Amino acid sequence: MDMLIQDQIVECIEQEHLFEASTLLEKYLRLEGKDEFYYLAGSDIRLGYEDYQGVCTLLEEAMETGLTGPLIWERISEAEIGLENYDQAGFWLEKVLESQDLGQEDEPRILFDLGRCAIAQGNYEQAVIHFEDILLEEDNEETRFLLGMSYGELQMYERMDDAFLGLLDKPEYRDRILEYMMYQDSPEILLDYLDQADFTEFDRLLAFSQYWLNHNSPLDAAEAMEEAWTLEHDPEVLASAVVLYGQAGDIRHGRRLFLALMDVEKPETDPGHFTALQLEALEEMQYADRTCRKYLEAILRKGGDDPDSTMQCAQFCLNHDMADVAYKILSRNPENMPLTRSLEWCRLLSLACLQIEHYQEAYHCLKAHQGLKDRMYRKNLAIASYCTGRSREALHESLAILPDGIGAIIAFLVYDERGEQDKATEVIRQMQKALAKKEPIEDISNFIGFLEEIAEKTAA
């Protein structure tokens, strides 16, 4: 009977049915007690759940009962790697490697884990030894990749190239090597790799743009991206060049390219993404308010009736003190919008109404779309309710979001207007306790300013 349960447990673990395996292991425990199978299967289940400390605790208990050996040591090493205790993991892996019970076919796996631990500790010389030992016995792509990376960290670039050479025709490793090369100190290393991997000129330029960004040189990155745009007229590349010139402080050059971006035809598919590119570029160009509004209107026209484009433009306006424009473009709600988009539209419209002090409209908009009921919704409803004389509802919503700066202000004001000074004081006390505990409080600056104002009036 116990062998049948063992087989079932092993099968569940292999298929990652961990809860079922745990249930069966409990049954096994009642029948057979804590034997070697129990400890090994239990550790495998805990490894599946990434309960690494639980694995260590369980197997320490096993060793206290006299159970030991490479199967237990290897599982402890996996748990220690999960806990990032690489010294301890290496200790147990060395014990496995020295064991007389270790099969020759198991040695590469142990050496591989030892190599990973060495990399994690920055001991690249030792990692190279382990990976080279593996490759003497078997060729392995991941081993070659980690070996090449280790040689790179040791600045042994010819050997790095030799390790990477057999991986260049495999897309996954080709991309991983490229990502690694982008963080090397010398651009010549990246250039040499791009030559070996036979990248197109367009892809080479994109790679170099990312390289310069990784090395805090946005102007070089912008120039590479602009050159890439001349090869393939991809609007995303052009928008990136504009943004990079802005980040590099070359606003004049960025604005010249921004004009080119504004002349690009709207794509038939995913106009919302195109609008996002234009808005991101506009953000970096630091135009005066009037010019910014002019370009925003042009972006909006190009977006047409696309709801995503409209909402992105509205959000841009709300972020840049142009709530009047946001209100104007959101006032006509498109028909037959999916519920999620309709809720987002309402959220933006209510924010615009609040910013331009159309409180009645904000209130009715929020009440008509109660599917929004998150913390921000309740805060906005508290503001709209208070500003339209609905003090009872304002109090209800503000208390629901405490500790919150705006919520505390509204609750205090409502209690104060009712003459319930003890409750008003209790709101302030509650917020001060939250501040003392360093709880994250939204609109904290508004609340602090409000307290200072109260203190001044009290002193007067």
Side-chain angles (χ1 to χ4, degrees):
M1 178 67 176
D2 59 325
M3 286 301 295
L4 178 60
I5 295 178
Q6 284 187 10
D7 292 341
Q8 290 175 333
I9 293 170
V10 170
E11 184 178 355
C12 286
I13 292 172
E14 288 176 347
Q15 295 178 355
E16 299 183 2
H17 298 164
L18 300 179
F19 179 77
E20 188 176 348
S22 298
T23 303
L24 287 169
L25 189 62
E26 287 297 320
K27 182 178 179 181
Y28 180 88
L29 175 62
R30 291 193 296 271
L31 292 171
E32 301 296 328
K34 294 183 176 181
D35 58 9
E36 184 176 33
F37 177 82
Y38 168 80
Y39 284 113
L40 292 175
S43 62
D44 285 339
I45 291 168
R46 285 168 173 78
L47 284 170
Y49 281 123
E50 299 183 3
D51 177 15
Y52 302 121
Q53 190 57 57
V55 174
C56 293
T57 302
L58 182 66
L59 294 182
E60 284 167 8
E61 177 187 315
M63 289 189 288
E64 287 172 1
T65 68
L67 292 170
T68 188
L71 293 176
I72 286 178
W73 300 334
E74 187 174 355
R75 283 166 173 79
I76 294 180
S77 72
E78 287 185 58
E80 296 289 9
I81 289 173
L83 293 169
E84 300 182 7
N85 297 331
Y86 300 109
D87 279 337
Q88 279 296 103
F91 169 79
W92 292 111
L93 288 166
E94 291 288 357
K95 284 181 69 70
V96 176
L97 200 61
E98 294 165 4
S99 172
Q100 298 298 316
D101 298 329
L102 181 69
Q104 188 173 358
E105 70 281 1
D106 298 321
E107 186 174 333
R109 185 179 70 253
I110 305 304
L111 288 170
F112 183 82
D113 284 341
L114 279 167
R116 288 170 57 209
C117 289
I119 286 178
Q121 294 172 294
N123 189 352
Y124 299 105
E125 294 92 343
Q126 190 62 52
V128 163
I129 293 171
H130 292 313
F131 295 137
E132 291 281 18
D133 285 347
I134 295 172
L135 293 173
L136 288 173
E137 302 297 328
E138 63 177 35
D139 197 3
N140 179 281
E141 292 172 354
E142 188 65 16
T143 301
R144 281 191 172 279
F145 173 73
L146 294 178
L147 175 62
M149 198 174 76
S150 300
Y151 274 131
E153 294 303 310
L154 295 170
Q155 298 184 6
M156 301 172 69
Y157 297 119
E158 287 188 10
R159 293 194 176 184
M160 176 188 75
D161 289 343
D162 289 341
F164 285 153
L165 188 60
L167 303 174
L168 298 183
D169 60 344
K170 297 174 174 59
E172 176 193 351
Y173 285 100
R174 191 171 183 258
D175 292 342
R176 288 174 67 187
I177 294 169
L178 175 60
E179 183 178 356
Y180 174 70
M181 294 298 188
M182 285 180 182
Y183 285 92
Q184 297 307 296
D185 291 334
S186 170
E188 285 75 20
I189 299 169
L190 174 60
L191 182 61
D192 181 57
Y193 170 69
L194 294 172
D195 287 339
Q196 290 185 61
D198 197 27
F199 277 78
T200 67
E201 183 63 21
F202 177 76
D203 287 335
R204 287 158 63 98
L205 288 165
L206 294 186
F208 261 104
S209 181
Q210 186 61 52
Y211 172 87
W212 291 120
L213 273 182
N214 294 342
H215 290 77
N216 299 316
S217 184
L219 184 58
D220 288 318
E223 290 171 352
M225 198 65 79
E226 182 182 2
E227 192 174 345
W229 156 255
T230 65
L231 295 177
E232 293 187 22
H233 283 68
D234 183 336
E236 190 156 357
V237 172
L238 180 56
S240 296
V242 174
V243 170
L244 289 169
Y245 274 118
Q247 292 173 354
D250 192 348
I251 300 297
R252 182 176 179 181
H253 200 119
R255 287 179 176 180
R256 181 171 62 79
L257 292 184
F258 179 73
L259 292 177
L261 180 63
M262 291 300 294
D263 286 337
V264 173
E265 290 295 322
K266 179 187 75 174
E268 294 295 327
T269 58
D270 204 359
H273 178 63
F274 181 63
T275 297
L277 294 176
Q278 292 179 306
L279 291 174
E280 184 182 10
L282 178 60
E283 176 92 36
E284 288 290 340
M285 290 301 96
Q286 303 175 19
Y287 286 113
D289 182 75
R290 183 175 178 180
T291 305
C292 186
R293 286 171 180 253
K294 179 187 73 173
Y295 283 125
L296 186 66
E297 289 172 2
I299 292 170
L300 191 61
R301 284 196 302 273
K302 191 165 285 190
D305 295 328
D306 178 62
D308 287 340
S309 297
T310 304
M311 287 190 286
Q312 287 182 74
C313 289
Q315 185 66 69
F316 182 93
C317 292
L318 292 171
N319 294 343
H320 294 83
D321 297 323
M322 294 188 286
D324 57 320
V325 180
Y327 176 75
K328 179 180 177 182
I329 64 181
L330 291 168
S331 293
R332 185 176 61 83
N333 194 333
E335 297 179 359
N336 303 319
M337 268 202 304
L339 178 60
T340 52
R341 285 186 178 180
S342 181
L343 291 174
E344 177 64 10
W345 191 287
C346 170
R347 184 187 72 81
L348 293 169
L349 178 57
S350 62
L351 284 173
C353 289
L354 289 173
Q355 288 188 26
I356 61 175
E357 300 182 5
H358 288 189
Y359 297 117
Q360 284 285 5
E361 189 172 351
Y363 176 82
H364 290 299
C365 179
L366 290 165
K367 294 296 284 186
H369 293 80
Q370 297 193 46
L372 285 169
K373 279 200 173 180
D374 56 10
R375 186 179 184 84
M376 184 57 69
Y377 171 87
R378 304 196 81 154
K379 180 185 294 189
N380 292 337
L381 184 56
I383 296 169
S385 298
Y386 181 77
C387 293
T388 55
R390 297 173 172 89
S391 59
R392 182 177 179 181
E393 190 168 4
L395 180 62
H396 174 77
E397 298 298 336
S398 61
L399 292 176
I401 59 174
L402 293 182
D404 174 271
I406 296 295
I409 292 170
I410 292 174
F412 179 94
L413 290 172
V414 172
Y415 281 135
D416 188 59
E417 289 166 6
R418 290 180 176 181
E420 299 179 83
Q421 272 71 31
D422 55 336
K423 292 183 179 179
T425 303
E426 180 57 34
V427 170
I428 299 297
R429 190 178 296 115
Q430 182 181 341
M431 290 291 289
Q432 288 173 329
K433 286 181 181 178
L435 283 170
K437 294 179 181 178
K438 297 183 178 180
E439 292 184 22
I441 299 175
E442 295 178 70
D443 300 303
I444 185 65
S445 59
N446 289 312
F447 175 66
I448 298 299
F450 179 70
L451 283 183
E452 291 172 349
E453 186 179 331
I454 293 174
E456 288 175 7
K457 290 180 178 178
T458 303

